[in-house]
Structures are given as structure tokens and as C-alpha cells.
Amino acid sequence: KNQVEQSPQSLIILEGKNCTLQCNYTVSPFSNLRWYKQDTGRGPVSLTIMTFSENTKSNGRYTATLDADTKQSSLHITASQLSDSASYICVVRDGGYNKLIFGAGTRLAVHP
Amino acid sequence: SAVISQKPSRDICQRGTSLTIQCQVDSQVTMMFWYRQQPGQSLTLIATANQGSEATYESGFVIDKFPISRPNLTFSTLTVSNMSPEDSSIYLCSVVKSSGLVTDTQYFGPGTRLTVL
């Protein structure tokens, strides 16, 4: 069964600290992996999109990694800001049915 | 990019009634989708809205319950019919301005928060 699992479920960090969010998937065949940021009461916004040949992709203070062999991805946030408080959703595109499969998200809270 | 607006942004409805949610995009898009996001859960695809023809529904979703229209390349509606408290959720419109690549960005609207009493 195609699944995307994220950990931790929630995380609290202090402003200025770094953090790493994890994503494991069992989607096959794999097409690409996306990270989205969803602020409370808003729709998800795309941060990165990576194909199987890409190991790392950055978007400002956000850096995503992908290991297609172990089917794992991570999202690293550097020097966190209060505005980083949001849910971060890992999404994998199924290369067979061409559908997006969503993880449940990691809820990040950045405290001053 | 694509700017998506949804109306209403939220509503509280009585069971047994129906609500129509509108999705307007600021530019023509190839694909439009409707998702549901229940509290604390991931997004679930309801259907793909097809211009000028019937929507394509995912397993577990039917046209009688979630009729969808897409009259043109920038607008779609989703109706939640004969509502029950289990329909309380956030409903999101999503679009792709396809260039034919599987890495095309998928954009999401702000969502409509529905509460059914």
C-alpha cells in the first residue's frame, strides 16, 4: 500500500534553533517528492520538489534531502523564525497512477 | 504561480442541507482538484474537476454526494449535499498550470472550513 509517514507528529523549538523533519514513504513507482508548508487556516504552499536523481534542494532556510534507495526524505530548517510555525507536509507523487499521496504532516511551533 | 480564492471561507450548516463552495483562479489552469482535510489528518483527494464533462471521483466519493462543476478554465464549484456532522472538514481547491511535467507545482486555495451541526 502506498503510504507517506512523517515524524515527529509535532515539535516545539526555540527561535533561532535548527530542526529536522522526517518523511518515510512506501510509494512505488516513485515519481517525485514535495514538501509543503501549511499555515493555520491557509492552504499548503510548495517549498521544494525533488525527483529521484536529486539528493538535496534548498529554498532559503529550508533544505530538503532525498534518499531514493531508503525511501526517506528530510526537511531541515535553519535559524528558525516565529513565522516558521506551521504544519509541514511531505507529499509523494505516485508514478503509476500519477496521484499525490500526502503525509499527515508535522506541526512545528517556534517559541520566542 | 496561481492565486486561488474560495468562497465561503467558512460556514456553519445544519444537517440535511447542502453547501456550494466556489473556487476562482486568477489565470487559466489545466487541472483543478478538490480535496478534503479532516482535523489533524492529511489531505484526501475527492475528485478531479474536468472542464465541460463529469468530474472524476476517487474511491469513496460519489457524484450524488459531491457534485462538481467546471464550466471554464478558471472556475469550479463543489457542492456538499445532504450534509451530516461527518462532513465537517476543510475543503480545498487545488490547481496545476501544467507544462506536461510531473514536477509541475500544484497550488492550493485557502480552504473552506465547514462545520455541520
Side-chain angles (χ1 to χ4, degrees):
Chain A
K1 181 180 178 182
N2 287 335
Q3 286 186 311
V4 177
E5 296 184 351
Q6 295 186 240
S7 62
Q9 194 170 35
S10 62
L11 181 64
I12 299 173
I13 62 173
L14 294 177
E15 187 179 12
K17 298 298 185 181
N18 303 335
C19 67
T20 300
L21 314 180
Q22 301 292 339
C23 173
N24 296 332
Y25 61 92
T26 59
V27 179
S28 182
F30 172 86
S31 177
N32 56 71
L33 185 145
R34 303 149 185 248
W35 283 93
Y36 280 85
K37 177 187 179 187
Q38 185 175 24
D39 292 312
T40 301
R42 310 291 291 271
V45 174
S46 179
L47 294 176
T48 62
I49 300 175
M50 290 188 293
T51 62
F52 75 95
S53 61
E54 297 175 288
N55 299 122
T56 303
K57 183 166 279 190
S58 293
N59 178 357
R61 295 180 295 103
Y62 301 103
T63 299
T65 66
L66 173 63
D67 186 332
D69 291 331
T70 61
K71 297 186 177 181
Q72 295 179 326
S73 176
S74 66
L75 181 69
H76 186 76
I77 303 175
T78 304
S80 61
Q81 300 177 359
L82 298 179
S83 59
D84 292 330
S85 295
S87 286
Y88 291 85
I89 305 172
C90 177
V91 185
V92 179
R93 179 176 286 280
D94 176 341
Y97 292 100
N98 205 27
K99 296 280 176 64
L100 294 183
I101 300 170
F102 291 77
T106 292
R107 186 177 298 273
L108 174 66
V110 180
H111 290 182
Chain B
S1 67
V3 178
I4 305 170
S5 60
Q6 288 185 230
K7 290 182 181 179
S9 59
R10 59 177 61 225
D11 207 342
I12 301 173
C13 301
Q14 297 296 321
R15 69 173 66 204
T17 63
S18 298
L19 176 72
T20 295
I21 303 168
Q22 297 180 0
C23 175
Q24 179 72 55
V25 193
D26 68 337
S27 56
Q28 293 186 346
V29 296
T30 306
M31 305 190 75
M32 298 184 78
F33 308 93
W34 286 99
Y35 286 84
R36 182 172 72 183
Q37 186 176 28
Q38 295 180 305
Q41 305 210 11
S42 59
L43 279 71
T44 300
L45 179 63
I46 297 172
T48 302
N50 301 310
Q51 187 200 358
S53 64
E54 190 173 290
T56 304
Y57 290 85
E58 297 299 304
S59 175
F61 298 96
V62 295
I63 188 171
D64 290 344
K65 177 67 175 177
F66 297 102
I68 289 171
S69 78
R70 187 182 172 191
N72 56 49
L73 294 176
T74 63
F75 185 79
S76 177
T77 66
L78 167 74
T79 299
V80 186
S81 303
N82 189 25
M83 289 184 284
S84 67
E86 292 70 37
D87 294 320
S88 297
S89 189
I90 299 173
Y91 292 86
L92 297 114
C93 174
S94 180
V95 305
V96 173
K97 297 177 75 171
S98 181
S99 60
L101 301 175
V102 293
T103 52
D104 284 333
T105 298
Q106 189 158 334
Y107 302 94
F108 289 85
T112 295
R113 183 179 295 273
L114 171 62
T115 302
V116 184
L117 303 177

